[in-house]
Amino acid sequence: MERKHAVPLVNFVACQLVALFAAFWFRIYLSPRKTSPEVRHTFATVFGIYFVIFCFGWYSAHLFVLVLMCYGIMVTASISNIPRYSFFVAMGYLTICHISRIYIFHYGILTTDFSGPLMIVTQKITTLAFQVHDGLGRRAEDLSAEQHRLAIKVKPSFLEYLSYLLNFMSVIAGPCNNFKDYTAFIEGRHIHMKLLEVNWKQKGFHSLPEPSPTGAVIHKLCMTLVALLLFLTLTKTFPVTCLMDDSFVHRANFLTRLGYLYVVMQASKPKYYFAWTLADAVNNAAGFGFSGVDKNGNFCWDLLSNLNIWKIETATSFKMYLENWNIQTAIWLKRVCYERVPWYPTVLTFILSALWHGVYPGYYFTFLTGILVTLAARTVRNNYRYYFLSSGTLKLVYDVVTWAVTQLAVSYTVAPFVMLAVEPTISLYKSMYFYLHIISLLIILFLPVRPHAHMQRQPQTLNSVNKKKAD
């Protein structure tokens, strides 16, 4: 059984390493200066399709079927229906695959399978559909500044569509990105556009510099190696199965359980750090992912980064933690759901996130608990944070306490996500006396709600910005 699980994992790592070398070759020998966009699109697509077939065999047909169906929607549906039809077809197909993979074909829960690429493609399909609608079906003044920047004025060609969805840099492990950024990268405008935002003459440059991703790639590969070492040591020493042991559930005292839960959840992170950082390095090696220049004048290659490890480990709020974990998925949820639904944005966003991840019961325990914790944390922050901003000492105390609370709350909330099944989740929460659920409910029920925090959800449209300027 372990060998069955190991084969897809080995294929995944092998493909990502080959993709890394192919990305360097792609940037050097198929650079936009030497090669047409059509050739770059074609190479990225063909190589990506090969990777998917190599990793997943005939199961890769699911990916191709979904892509072709949604391209059919793109070219035949009315502009107003493109995002609606694309969203329901992509999410519906993904959900059917999740269900069949688990409950019909009985895939092992540790297997690296075709649902990963399907999840990434679903994000890209829906992102592209909404951005086409923003560009062709909505008035410019009704869009937020970000929606206006990313809006697509011309439907993509079939080659562009395939390249965006199936390119070898992101088809296996992502991350999701924007169609405009991707086509700018293919056409050689990606870095130039970001550099134009800086006045280089003031910095003593007579022409635009040419940032190299090599340093960023080496740095990320070093982080990948560290994550791999932690996975082979820490993760193997404190497996998730420890949380199901009788000695943990029934014999250890509450504080011991609390501390051990934190350690086990920490030990489950390195595999994500490894996969996402390696995927980021692959894109950077190809020359994709340049985000501009920071305040110190350093070139940044974090446009496609999926996590910020430092901010995750030092997060002082549930919101800060989530914003730096699986960043591109959080951005996708914000752009296709949170900013667009007219009511219950937090609840609907958590539900969409759960559906996208899959149908294991543990996912829904995590996301339902996450809704409670998010609402409770927001209420506490809005009611009490300003009391601690009057002095540096009070602010430090507040940061230390909120860091500890955040890390423990995250461990409690995400435990079902890695345990997956109902029985061990209920057993764990019983052993913890459902303490976080109870505290969160009491906070929501008895602390006053400050409505202005919710009002900040809606992004400013160009129309509202113009009205403020006129005032």
Side-chain angles (χ1 to χ4, degrees):
M1 192 71 174
E2 286 184 3
R3 186 178 176 184
K4 180 183 175 182
H5 290 162
V7 171
L9 187 59
V10 170
N11 287 356
F12 165 79
V13 175
C15 274
Q16 287 298 82
L17 292 177
V18 172
L20 180 67
F21 290 106
F24 277 117
W25 186 88
F26 184 75
R27 179 169 60 87
I28 296 168
Y29 295 102
L30 291 183
S31 72
R33 294 177 182 176
K34 303 175 182 178
T35 314
S36 69
E38 289 74 20
V39 172
R40 283 167 61 83
H41 275 305
T42 302
F43 179 86
T45 304
V46 171
F47 218 47
I49 290 172
Y50 171 76
F51 276 177
V52 173
I53 294 173
F54 174 77
C55 275
F56 309 108
W58 76 269
Y59 288 110
S60 58
H62 288 290
L63 204 65
F64 307 140
V65 167
L66 179 58
V67 168
L68 293 175
M69 283 196 302
C70 289
Y71 185 72
I73 293 171
M74 180 68 68
V75 297
T76 60
S78 64
I79 296 299
S80 61
N81 285 326
I82 286 175
R84 187 181 300 116
Y85 293 168
S86 297
F87 181 86
F88 284 111
V89 168
M91 283 301 302
Y93 195 90
L94 175 64
T95 302
I96 290 170
C97 286
H98 277 317
I99 293 171
S100 63
R101 179 177 63 88
I102 297 165
Y103 297 112
I104 298 176
F105 293 107
H106 304 294
Y107 271 34
I109 61 175
L110 301 178
T111 305
T112 303
D113 55 71
F114 70 92
S115 66
L118 201 63
M119 291 162 74
I120 299 298
V121 163
T122 297
Q123 287 187 346
K124 289 185 178 183
I125 286 170
T126 51
T127 296
L128 178 57
F130 277 105
Q131 290 172 354
V132 166
H133 180 249
D134 288 341
L136 298 175
R138 297 176 66 190
R139 297 182 304 169
E141 57 267 25
D142 293 333
L143 303 175
S144 69
E146 183 183 55
Q147 288 170 348
H148 186 267
R149 179 179 67 84
L150 297 174
I152 298 167
K153 302 293 184 182
V154 179
K155 289 183 181 181
S157 68
F158 185 55
L159 178 60
E160 289 172 332
Y161 193 83
L162 290 181
S163 178
Y164 172 61
L165 296 179
L166 300 175
N167 68 81
F168 74 93
M169 289 96 67
S170 61
V171 71
I172 299 296
C176 180
N177 49 71
N178 297 299
F179 181 77
K180 264 195 169 180
D181 289 332
Y182 180 73
T183 53
F185 153 70
I186 289 292
E187 294 168 8
R189 299 180 287 107
H190 168 59
I191 295 176
H192 186 76
M193 287 165 51
K194 302 291 183 184
L195 291 176
L196 287 176
E197 299 172 3
V198 179
N199 189 337
W200 291 100
K201 288 186 178 180
Q202 288 184 354
K203 297 178 178 292
F205 288 82
H206 298 292
S207 60
L208 290 178
E210 296 185 8
S212 170
T214 304
V217 173
I218 292 173
H219 173 71
K220 289 171 184 178
L221 289 179
C222 290
M223 291 172 60
T224 299
L225 286 175
V226 172
L228 180 60
L229 289 174
L230 288 174
F231 173 74
L232 295 174
T233 54
L234 189 63
T235 305
K236 299 296 184 183
T237 305
F238 299 99
V240 175
T241 51
C242 291
L243 299 179
M244 305 173 199
D245 287 346
D246 182 70
S247 59
F248 172 80
V249 174
H250 298 295
R251 299 177 188 174
N253 61 52
F254 177 75
L255 290 179
T256 301
R257 293 174 195 152
L258 205 61
Y260 198 68
L261 176 63
Y262 171 73
V263 171
V264 172
M265 290 300 100
Q266 287 293 100
S268 69
K269 292 179 186 178
K271 64 180 178 181
Y272 299 103
Y273 291 169
F274 171 81
W276 289 340
T277 306
L278 181 57
D280 195 12
V282 169
N283 280 276
N284 289 171
F288 189 26
F290 183 70
S291 59
V293 183
D294 66 16
K295 61 183 179 181
N296 297 319
N298 299 314
F299 298 126
C300 298
W301 289 85
D302 58 1
L303 181 69
L304 305 178
S305 294
N306 226 353
L307 75 171
N308 186 317
I309 296 175
W310 174 254
K311 288 185 178 179
I312 288 170
E313 300 300 342
T314 60
T316 56
S317 71
F318 205 73
K319 178 176 180 288
M320 180 179 174
Y321 194 105
L322 294 180
E323 285 177 347
N324 291 284
W325 175 269
N326 205 353
I327 295 170
Q328 302 306 322
T329 293
I331 292 173
W332 170 70
L333 290 167
K334 174 187 171 187
R335 288 174 178 166
V336 304
C337 183
Y338 192 81
E339 291 181 347
R340 298 181 188 270
V341 296
W343 22 253
Y344 303 120
T346 300
V347 174
L348 290 176
T349 301
F350 271 110
I351 291 172
L352 173 59
S353 183
L355 283 171
W356 176 79
H357 278 90
V359 293
Y360 283 115
Y363 294 166
Y364 295 87
F365 275 102
T366 286
F367 289 113
L368 289 172
T369 304
I371 294 171
L372 281 178
V373 175
T374 299
L375 295 175
R378 183 184 297 162
T379 302
V380 170
R381 185 178 180 85
N382 291 340
N383 277 279
Y384 296 110
R385 184 174 183 270
Y386 63 91
Y387 289 121
F388 294 87
L389 302 180
S390 57
S391 74
T393 303
L394 284 175
K395 180 66 167 58
L396 178 62
V397 171
Y398 176 85
D399 287 343
V400 171
V401 171
T402 52
W403 171 82
V405 170
T406 297
Q407 300 300 321
L408 292 176
V410 169
S411 300
Y412 179 96
T413 303
V414 302
F417 192 92
V418 296
M419 297 174 78
L420 301 176
V422 174
E423 187 176 342
T425 296
I426 296 297
S427 178
L428 173 68
Y429 277 164
K430 276 185 178 178
S431 75
M432 309 293 288
Y433 311 112
F434 292 92
Y435 83 94
L436 194 59
H437 290 89
I438 294 169
I439 292 172
S440 298
L441 280 171
L442 291 175
I443 289 171
I444 293 168
L445 291 173
F446 294 107
L447 281 185
V449 176
R450 294 180 179 269
H452 70 272
H454 175 76
M455 293 301 290
Q456 292 173 354
R457 172 181 75 93
Q458 293 295 341
Q460 285 189 323
T461 63
L462 296 180
N463 198 29
S464 66
V465 171
N466 291 334
K467 280 184 179 178
K468 286 185 178 181
K469 287 182 179 178
D471 294 342

